[in-house]
Amino acid sequence: MEKSSEKSSLTTEDYTVALICALDVELAPTEAMLDEEHPQLSGTAGDTNSYSLGRIGLHNIVIAGLPSGTYGTTAASNVAINLMRSFPNVRFGLMVGIGGAAHVTDEEPENELRLGDIVVSSPQAEHGGVIQYDFGKLVAEGHFVQTGILNKPPTVLSTAITRLRARARKKGYALQPHLNKMFKDYPKMVKAYNRPGLETDRLYHKEYKHQGAASNCRDCSQDNVVQRTARSDDDPMVHYGLIGSANQVLKNPEARDKLHKEKGIICFEMEAAGLMNDFQCLVIRGICDYCDSHKNKQWQPYAAAVAAAFAKELLLGIAPHQVDTAPQARGVLSDEIRQNIRVVEAKIDAISSRPIQTGLSVASQCLRALRTTDPRVDKNRIESSNGGLYADSCRWVLENDNYKRWKNERDSRLLHIKGEPGKGKTMLVCGILNDLLSSFGAYFFFQETDVRINNATSALRGLIYMLADQKSELISHVQASYERAGKELFTDRNSWHALQAIFKEILKELEAVDTVIVIDAINECIIDRDKLLELITYCNTNYKVKWIVSSRGWPDIDRYMKRCPNRIRLSLKYNKDSIENAIDKYVNHRVALLAEHQRYEGQTKDSVAKHLLANANGTFLWVSLVCQTLEKIRPSSTIASLNQFPPDLNHLYERMLERVLADDKEDYLREILAVATALFRPVTMSELLTLTDFPPELTNNVAELKNLVRECGGFLSIRDSTIEFVHQSAKEYILQKAEKKVFPKGIHNMHRDIYERLIESLSKTLKKDIFGLDSLNNPAISLNEVRKPNPNPLNGIEYACFYWPRHLAIAIRQSDSEDKALKTLLQFLRKHLLHWIEAMTFFEGIPQAIGRLYELESQPLIRGGSALLRDFVHDAHRFALTFGEMLQKYPLQIYSSGAVFTPTNSILKQTFAEYEPNWVKVRMNAEFEWSENVTRVWSHDSTITAIAYSSDGYHFACGFEDGMLELWNIVSGVMQRRINVASMPDFNCNLRTSARRRSWPRYLHKDKPTTELDLDEEDSDEDDDNISVQSDHGSIGVKQDLAASDVFAAPSSPEPKNMIRTDGEMSITDLAFHEDEGGVIFVIDGRRVGFWNTQTDEVKRQPELDAPSAPLVMSVHGKYMAYGIDSPFVTLYNTEPGAEKRILKGQFDDISLITFSPDGELLASCSRKGLIQVWSASTGLPLGGLDESNEEVAAILIFPDGKRLVSAKRTADGSEVVTMLDLDSGKTYWSLDSDCRGLCLSPDGERFVLVRKGHTLFYNTSDCKVLKDLSDKQDSLCVFSPSGEQLATTDSGGIRLFSIHDTKSLPDMIAPAKLSSVRRTYFSDDSRWLTMESQGMLLETYNTRKNRVQRSERFPDSYISATSEAEPLFAYVTEGSHTVSLLNLKTLSSESKLDLPHSCGKATEMSFSPDGKFLAVGTVDGMLYVWNLTTQDKILDIDDQISTVPVRCLLWSTASTRLAARFDNESVGVWDLDCKRQLLFKIILTLEDDLLCMAFSSDGCRLITTHARIFEIWDVDRGSLITRVLDPRMDADTPKYFSMALSQDCSKLSCASAAGLELWDLPNRTLLHSLDMSLSSFKKMSFCQEDTALRLESGVLDIRVTSAGSSILSLGSKSDIFCTKDWIFRDNRPLMWLPDAYRSAQTKYQNKRLVLHHDSGRIALLEFSCPFRKTTEDESELSSPLSRAMTLGDMEASLASHHALPEDLRHVDLKNHHSMRWTSYNEVGLVR
């Protein structure tokens, strides 16, 4: 081999191909293949690799080997990363070495793998040629677990392989000439690298293990060798296929064969996966063994040699220009790798849902989802970017007494390392970590400018990931939550709270293990640092884990650290001598590297060292920055340039900035520095292009742009194509010391420029359905199903999407309303608002989008500027709030659900009308304007007992009956903090606990202090008679069935209160924001007081504020407290330290109520005899009183002026009244006859909220006029915001926030009706008219074109009614009447009247025949009458007393010719109404029979009944029993059916119960399928479409036959829809999401029209068009996502093929999605 003569002409940038080997036995032949050797070149600082350089053909080659003794993917990855840094123009690499073969059997011996053959990685299907697997998990679980994300080889290599294979078919591979040349050049290699004899190539049967201790197989029996056909020649064969890569050697033939069978892997090795992730690479392996226990090293040298020979043969076939034009290996890393990662992860997720993957495979997915960074990789990066870790510079700390104490003393559990910027804290931590290598633990490095690692949640993810990765059993703590929540566990708004609980569980398990947790640069945690510090102090106190925390010496961090017992401080400030000594060593180390790199002569080296030592001033960063600059200066100019580096860090920054700004490219460099400083996070090179105003010749030249960034090297660096500051102190210098130099026009103008560039970039990129997901055919595709295209159109605009509003907000602070930026904003929103929100969905940034829109809406220039812009931004914010829940999961629903359900008068509805889907028409929309219900907060599963607003109205706190406290951000709906007071020793009083009921707490009663109301969930109507509310805004709790004197009033607070709960005595009974102290003051169990610092999460007991007896009442801002229930006086005191308690007297009997005014300055009390007294809270002086001695006062509201009050009372005659009174004169301003469940007064006293049975009403206090009905439910608590513009209420679902500043009335369409529960719905043929009957005795006809009520009719309180499905007829008979009235539903005019005999009892059932021609009426005394409505003749008059018990059910046959009636539990009769008009037969029921329901067959010849566990089919004509079918389930599991339908051929039976819907195969007595949902729509159902579908009130269920021949139910069909609680389905796929306001209590689907009727009174009518998508054969067999298939012997699991559905809808149980509501019993044989 020749030596190169180009010794001085080649640099690291001239090498374009890399060869990497793991072992020396591989490296030797690879180096021997070089045609020419080149001299060594120095790599970049910190590169620990060793390289061999040379040439093969016309290619300059760099060869790298793994460090001795290190193997596996991680080691290979580190080598590749360093290589790419040192040789930036490398285009691709070849991984050359040895591997083990799979046992591939084939009739042709050439196709089998033999020792000495070659395997080349080749893409197969979705794999890139190499599969990374976890062998340890394979052995444990017995199945394949894929763990890596692997790239395909680059195109240039794939093309070369194709040519080489084609040539080999003609001439064979020319490998032997390369081997011969190697042996000629290196004779010593002949013996070791020659081919072994064929007799040593032995493949043993997989069951046969290696025998004996020898490394060879001399003791192994030849009888167990697999007999294989000899090949025609001895030349090695080349095979192309998949290579399996893991971190350990595979010696398991069973695993080998399993992996080959399942994944097609033909070769196994240990390093390739590490490379395939880091740069473009091809893997070449010579086969040296068969991956079994018979491994030996005899074939390794030859296998390595033939692999090297193949690599050379491949390279000789590639032209130089093909290499030069290929992309750089590191240049393609970012976009391509990320795209591949997403694709493979999605496929792994799909595999993981199959039954074959259980156990650890789920754990592996959980661990992968948890990872946001691997701190071990961050450590390597940090060391490399700082020129490597120089151990001598860290040695001093290992010998430091404080460090030794921390390390050796068991009780010294926290070491706090403090130091100023640039003092080397991070590298010191790296040195300590190296010293602790033998210890178990985890660490995390914060970096403020990197969004991945600058927040507390990422720190917890990193720590938990590292702990679980080392100790696999720890992942179980994460896995349980992960299986429930998926990846959202780590990313949603509550991720911090979930992760800190998991972290504590892990630390608790590690109590017996010596564990160390290290956190570096905690001062660079910019999000939730206080939370993390609080967690550290808690864990340091409660768990036996050692901690190291490094930071700057900031007071707020020190404050937390001081709370840690036995902490040890290690301040760099007080270790000056050690630091200086370490600096000296560091300087000498860096100068030695410089001298080698720059070829310094002796004098230059000494001068540089001397200058650095004299000026370092203990700052490692200063030394590093100077050395980086010296690397760019010619050696001859080095000495002269030393004086340019001043000793102080800030002065050094100043000098470096002067050099940057003195450059001939000053404008470009200043622009880059200014942009980087103004940004809110680091950006990639592609993002930088959109942020700068450079000419095209520069923006199109990425290489030149990188050079410009590098010229700002003292301030900026490029890492993985991301531009970031070299150190946080560099950015701080520009902002604090050099703002005018970098921003000559002011930083706000730079923000303006950035905003305009971002908007321009977004406008060019954003569009509807940007990923081309086909919004027409896939309107409900979930985010988890999205496969992002390559190239990704969103690449380069992520920063723009997240931060354009932030830059705009800063830019317009000093502007006027005519600002051009505002005009640009309006133009952008009108065109791209929906497109931007769609993009934010793909970035998983919907919460941030909501927050950004709120920030915009709050800008003074927008609020006070153009009305059009103000309204647009307001509507945009409301849109994001309303549909935020949906958008976080289903991006394209913005163009279906969002477009359809946006209020009619919204400016967005008008602007984006073109996006409304063409497959649905909104005939009637419930919303004209945005609902007052701004948003809903879903709290944890416990009853809310107290809520309060902060003074700025941006936050609220809520307390729970289990002692939990939460802090919420109102703007974004994000829970910011959560603590559990009940778990804290200071508050845990260990009192008696009791089992909780679902929603009814215990109440205090004067004679029964722990009385519990025996109310079951079924007694919901009676539950409403119990009320509970009390507030300093005047809210009070009352229980209606107790006298006022028997009830203790609940504590007063800024919100209404439930009466005092004693469920475990840990309920938060009152709370308020204490703004001066920065937290929340709260009352627990009615008397104990605590304070929660919401900045630090510190909770303190305040026993000096405790009350001797409950309840303790608190004013709005926690300034005053009072108690005195059951006492003749009130004790009032200020919560400020040292304040005295005042005794307020003036009443002569025990006090029953205490409350504060809305501003907290007045206090009112009421005695049990009705004497009301008002005091000044500040002075304790009485201000007036009122005598209500003849009334039972249940609640009082005191106005801020102290002159008026509102009281709720029960008068002497028992009626309930709410009145407003004048305190001085007792004058009544107004009086309202109403029950009262709670009262709440606005801060200005102008409005109040009255909680009534079933409604929350909003009143004007001046005239008692109802302004709004805010809720259709009875809320538990309510409180006004300080501004009075928002109201928070609580119900069983959480907290609802209402915007109430706009007090205009609700639309006429909704206000007069308020249909609380629809019983029946009727459509006109043209959908123009819609008639509904409510339980509120109201019948209304709606004009769907005009969106208003056309006519209405109210009935007496008690009546029986029926609606015809065939004709627009409505029939009813009132209580005590014997006349049946018929109404025309179109006109609400009377049609006729039918008379019942006066001798009969009252009507109990009424039913129209299916054709609308007959009407049947049953009575309480067993009479049955049928009229022909055409002739008005009575055609059936059954008054012969065949039964004397009430008629409970009427059932018609489909043809309207037969009628069945059930007489209570006594009998069933069937009549023929066609010609004979006689009783056909009668079924006599025994007392034990519990007849549930019955149904006719479609021809009316069969009747099926069900009772107990038996189905019975009757022959109607003969009156005989045909068959009886026994339900196979046990009695306890047998559902109680309330509706049935029988198919025409009597082969299928559909049964509905509270548990769901079942489909039975009657001949085979098999339960075919069931839907686990509880829907009122089941009350009426029938088979249709020739028994291929079921029609219900909520739509159509398709009955599909699978390829296996079984029948399944699917939601909707190709032409019809089905509506569940929150989705509309079509063809078994979700079609449109329903917002909360449209989640209907009642639905009606008929003739492609769907009515959604909400309890609030909102009504929407949707009309659907014909099918719009094609269904594949695979999809046609999909089961419903809510279903399960069962047989008699085995209730089988759900069909696994739910891949057509969004992930979170695949296994939904809708049992709790719908409460069953039915009020009519005359349809389809409904039996009470």
Side-chain angles (χ1 to χ4, degrees), residues 118-172:
I118 300 163
V119 174
V120 182
S121 63
S122 177
Q124 305 288 324
E126 70 271 21
H127 302 296
V130 176
I131 296 179
Q132 183 178 3
Y133 68 94
D134 189 325
F135 172 62
K137 294 178 182 177
L138 175 87
V139 173
E141 294 300 305
H143 58 78
F144 175 83
V145 179
Q146 186 172 329
T147 60
I149 308 301
L150 310 168
N151 283 341
K152 294 181 179 180
T155 303
V156 62
L157 286 176
S158 299
T159 305
I161 287 290
T162 302
R163 288 197 303 268
L164 183 59
R165 295 180 71 174
R167 189 178 68 186
R169 288 180 179 275
K170 297 181 291 184
K171 301 180 179 181

Side-chain angles (χ1 to χ4, degrees), residues 1335-1338 1353-1359 1372-1375:
Q1335 284 184 333
M1337 292 72 73
L1338 190 67
E1353 181 82 15
R1354 189 170 294 278
F1355 303 104
D1357 289 345
S1358 181
Y1359 70 105
Y1372 70 95
V1373 57
T1374 60
E1375 178 78 20

Side-chain angles (χ1 to χ4, degrees), residues 536-550:
I536 292 172
T537 58
Y538 176 85
C539 294
N540 176 255
T541 304
N542 292 278
Y543 303 107
K544 297 176 182 179
V545 175
K546 283 183 174 281
W547 291 80
I548 297 178
V549 178
S550 75

Side-chain angles (χ1 to χ4, degrees), residues 1460-1501:
R1462 180 200 168 180
F1463 298 86
D1464 216 347
N1465 278 333
E1466 181 182 278
S1467 61
V1468 174
V1470 181
W1471 286 265
D1472 181 357
L1473 301 179
D1474 189 12
C1475 55
K1476 299 180 182 180
R1477 299 181 184 179
Q1478 64 183 16
L1479 178 68
L1480 295 177
F1481 77 101
K1482 181 178 179 181
I1483 304 172
I1484 304 299
L1485 303 176
T1486 66
L1487 292 177
E1488 290 77 19
D1489 284 338
D1490 183 15
L1491 185 64
L1492 300 175
C1493 57
M1494 53 189 179
F1496 276 110
S1497 61
S1498 58
D1499 59 5
C1501 296

Side-chain angles (χ1 to χ4, degrees), residues 339 342 771 788-796 843:
Q339 175 62 17
R342 292 189 182 102
F771 283 172
K788 296 183 181 179
N790 188 11
N792 186 343
L794 295 180
N795 282 343
F843 288 128

